[in-house]
Amino acid sequence: MYDLVIRNGTIVDGTGMPKYRGDVAIQGNRIAAIGRIPEKGKEEIDATGHVVTPGFIDGHTHMDAQVFWDPIGSCSCWHGVTTVVMGNCGFTLAPGKPTQRDMVLSNLIRAEDISPDAIGAAVDWKWTTFREYMNEVDKQPKSINYAANIGHSALRTYVMGERAFEANAKATHDDLAAMQNELLDAVNAGAIGFTTSRSTAHKLPEPDNRPVASYNAVWDEVEQLVCSMGKTGRGVFEIARERDSRSSDPAVRKAVNDKLSDLAVKSGVPITFGLPAGTVGAADMLKMLDTTAERGGRMFGQTHTRGVSHVLSFKGRLQFDDFPEWQQVRSLPYDQQRKAFTDPATRKRLVEATQHGGYRTGGGEPRRPQYDNMHVVQSAVSKNPTVAQLAAQRGVEPVELMMDLAVKSDFNQLFQQFDVATVPKTEEEALATLKHPRTVMTFSDSGAHVSLIMDSSIHTHLLAYWMRERGKFTLEEAVKMITFTPAMFWGFTDRGIIRQGAIADINVFNPDTIAPQIPTIENDLPTGARRLKQKSAGILATILGGKVSFRNGEHTGSLTGKLLRSTAAGVV
C-alpha cells in the first residue's frame, strides 16, 4: 500500500512535455509510481479536473530571518511554492558574531524593509559562522524547503567591522583571505551560492544613509571571491547590479556588462541577476546572456511577471507619511482620519503638502507618486484603472481620489504603484524577457519589503494572467518556467519534475481558477509589526516531501520542509 495516491489528475511533469492523464503514487518522500495505479493509498487525493505538477521554486527571496518565526513560510506557501532560495543581494544574517548583530543587520533593515524589532524578538543569535547559522536554520520547523546563499555585506562586515562601510577602505590581503576562508567553509557546509549588491539604492538606516557594505568593495574583491567559489565546482553567484548597467549611454552599459560576462567565463560560476523587462538596457542584458554562453560562461536573468510595484494603503504605508501635515492626521484613530479627509480645509492642506514635499528614494521606501502609473487595486490579476484616470473622471486631484476611496472602503482600498524603471512598457517587452531561454521567472523578494511589496504571488499570477487570461504560454510552458527551469538553474536535481524516484514536492491545482487573491494588511509579525499578506485560489493541495502540507490554502500542520544543502552532486 502506498502512503499517498493522487488519482485522476492531468499530469504536467515540469519538463514542458505534453500533459497526460494519470495517477501519482508516493512512498515516503519520493514519487514511487506514475500511471494507472490500482493499489490503494493510506491517503488519497481525487484530482479530477485538476493538474498535478511539481512544487514551484522561487530563486530570489529574503526569508533568512522569517524562517525563525514563521514555520509555514508565508506568503510563498499559499502560492504553491515548495522551495525558496534566500540570502540574495548580499543580505544575510551570517556570518556575524553576536556582538556584531546590529552592524550586520544594518545592511538589510532599510534596504530590504525588514523589521529590526521582529528580528530582535524572534531570532536568537546563536551563531558566528555561516555554517553555524545554517545549522540553526536546520533546526527550525518548516513547511517549505529553504536553500541559503551567503551574503557579501554580512561577510565583509564580519571580517572588516566598521571599515566595511567606509568608502575608501579597501580590503587588505588578510581581510580578503579571511573572507575567502569563510566563503569556502559556507560552501562546504552547503551554501547554495554567494551574493552581492552594487546598487546605490541599498543604503543603511537613516541618519547614517551610507551604502551597504558590499557596495564599497572594489570589483577585484568581488572577482577574487567568486573565483574562489568557482574552484569548488559549486555555487551560484547572484548580484544586484550597479546603476551603470541601466545607463542611458550604451558604451557605459557595454563596459559593465563585459566585466560581468568576463567574470562568468573566468570563474566558471553560474551568474544570475534581476532582469526586469522595463529596465533600460534590458535588451543588452538579454544579448549578454547569449554571448556569455557562446564564450563558455553560464549566466541567467531573473524576470518578473508584471514589474516591481509598491502596494500602498491608508492602513499601511503612503508616500506622504513623512510630511508633517500628513503625520498629524495619520497619527489619529481612523474615525478621526475619516473626518479630516472629508473636511475641505484639511483636504486642501494635505493636497498642497503632496505637491511640494520631498520624497524618499531608497531601498524599501515608497517612491514619489506617479498617478498615471499608480493603479486602484480591484483585481489581483488583470490591469486596474489608474488613480489619474479615475481622478479625471471625478474632477478631483489624484490624492483627493485616494482619500475618498480610503474613506469609502473603511481604509482598506489598496493602490499599486509600479516602478517606472522596471515595469514593461508593452506586452512585447515583457514577453521578450519571460520567453528568453536563459531567463527564469523568480524575482519575488519574499520575506523582504513586507509592508510595501507583495510579489510572493508571481507564480500564481503567471498562471492566471499570462497563461490563462492572455494565452501567451501553454500550461506546460508556464509550469516548466516555475518548476523544472529554476530547479536546473539552481541545481535542485531531485525537484522540479514529476518523475519516478524524484522528491514528492507536488501541487494539485485547477488551471481554470488558480489566481492570487487581493492582499490584506495584517499586524501578525513578531511584536505586532505590519505586513502585507496574500493568499491564492484554486490550489487543492500542496504536498511537500510526500506529506500534504496545505489543503485549499489551509495548513495541515505538516512540517516536512528541509534546509537543502548544496553538494558536488546537486542540492539535497
Side-chain angles (χ1 to χ4, degrees), residues 57-134:
I57 297 171
D58 188 348
H60 193 112
T61 79
H62 293 275
M63 298 174 78
D64 312 62
Q66 184 179 332
V67 67
F68 288 93
W69 67 70
D70 179 12
I72 69 172
S74 61
C75 299
S76 298
C77 64
W78 292 314
H79 298 274
V81 173
T82 54
T83 297
V84 301
V85 179
M86 58 186 181
N88 286 282
C89 306
F91 302 131
T92 52
L93 303 189
K97 303 171 186 175
T99 55
Q100 294 178 307
R101 173 185 176 278
D102 291 344
M103 194 183 301
V104 171
L105 289 180
S106 68
N107 288 295
L108 57 84
I109 287 170
R110 182 182 178 199
E112 295 300 320
D113 183 27
I114 298 175
S115 166
D117 293 336
I119 295 174
V123 178
D124 188 2
W125 201 286
K126 293 182 178 180
W127 57 82
T128 295
T129 66
F130 198 79
R131 177 186 292 270
E132 291 167 343
Y133 166 79
M134 292 183 73

Side-chain angles (χ1 to χ4, degrees), residues 17-88:
M17 296 293 286
K19 60 191 176 184
Y20 59 93
R21 290 292 302 278
D23 307 330
V24 177
I26 297 167
Q27 194 72 39
N29 68 344
R30 293 188 180 268
I31 297 171
I34 302 170
R36 284 303 180 193
I37 298 171
E39 295 91 341
K40 294 292 183 182
K42 295 175 185 175
E43 184 178 2
E44 299 208 354
I45 294 174
D46 182 2
T48 302
H50 293 71
V51 295
V52 181
T53 76
F56 306 154
I57 297 171
D58 188 348
H60 193 112
T61 79
H62 293 275
M63 298 174 78
D64 312 62
Q66 184 179 332
V67 67
F68 288 93
W69 67 70
D70 179 12
I72 69 172
S74 61
C75 299
S76 298
C77 64
W78 292 314
H79 298 274
V81 173
T82 54
T83 297
V84 301
V85 179
M86 58 186 181
N88 286 282

Side-chain angles (χ1 to χ4, degrees), residues 217-415:
V218 297
W219 184 251
D220 182 65
E221 177 182 319
V222 175
E223 190 174 75
Q224 289 194 54
L225 290 169
V226 174
C227 287
S228 293
M229 184 172 69
K231 292 176 183 177
T232 71
R234 290 155 56 185
V236 173
F237 174 54
E238 183 269 340
I239 179 171
R241 301 199 66 197
E242 51 271 90
R243 190 178 296 276
D244 282 353
S245 67
R246 305 186 302 278
S247 171
S248 59
D249 185 341
V252 173
R253 296 200 304 267
K254 183 179 186 305
V256 73
N257 286 343
D258 286 350
K259 184 170 64 174
L260 191 62
S261 181
D262 288 345
L263 178 57
V265 175
K266 178 180 179 180
S267 67
V269 172
I271 293 179
T272 184
F273 53 88
L275 210 169
T279 302
V280 173
D284 292 350
M285 296 182 202
L286 290 174
K287 183 178 179 181
M288 175 176 61
L289 301 180
D290 292 331
T291 56
T292 300
E294 291 168 3
R295 298 176 61 204
R298 290 176 290 170
M299 184 178 285
F300 58 98
Q302 299 180 19
T303 64
H304 197 287
T305 61
R306 56 185 173 233
V308 177
S309 65
H310 289 170
V311 180
L312 308 155
S313 85
F314 285 72
K315 281 189 175 178
R317 299 177 68 184
L318 296 170
Q319 299 100 322
F320 328 121
D321 285 343
D322 288 336
F323 302 156
E325 299 87 346
W326 279 80
Q327 285 180 348
Q328 195 174 38
V329 173
R330 297 275 282 137
S331 63
L332 299 172
Y334 287 123
D335 60 339
Q336 294 182 44
Q337 288 190 46
R338 182 178 289 104
K339 291 178 182 178
F341 292 140
T342 54
D343 174 69
T346 304
R347 284 168 69 96
K348 181 179 179 182
R349 188 170 69 252
L350 293 173
V351 170
E352 289 175 350
T354 68
Q355 295 169 341
H356 305 295
Y359 292 91
R360 295 172 180 259
T361 59
E365 297 162 343
R367 304 296 195 271
R368 174 181 291 275
Q370 298 170 331
Y371 299 111
D372 287 326
N373 203 32
M374 185 191 299
H375 298 260
V376 178
V377 177
Q378 299 170 354
S379 165
V381 177
S382 302
K383 198 167 185 178
N384 293 295
T386 68
V387 170
Q389 289 169 338
L390 294 185
Q393 290 174 11
R394 299 187 185 191
V396 296
E397 290 290 329
V399 71
E400 288 186 280
L401 175 88
M402 294 176 69
M403 287 188 272
D404 291 341
L405 293 178
V407 169
K408 183 179 179 180
S409 67
D410 198 24
F411 297 94
N412 289 311
Q413 179 63 58
L414 302 178
F415 306 91

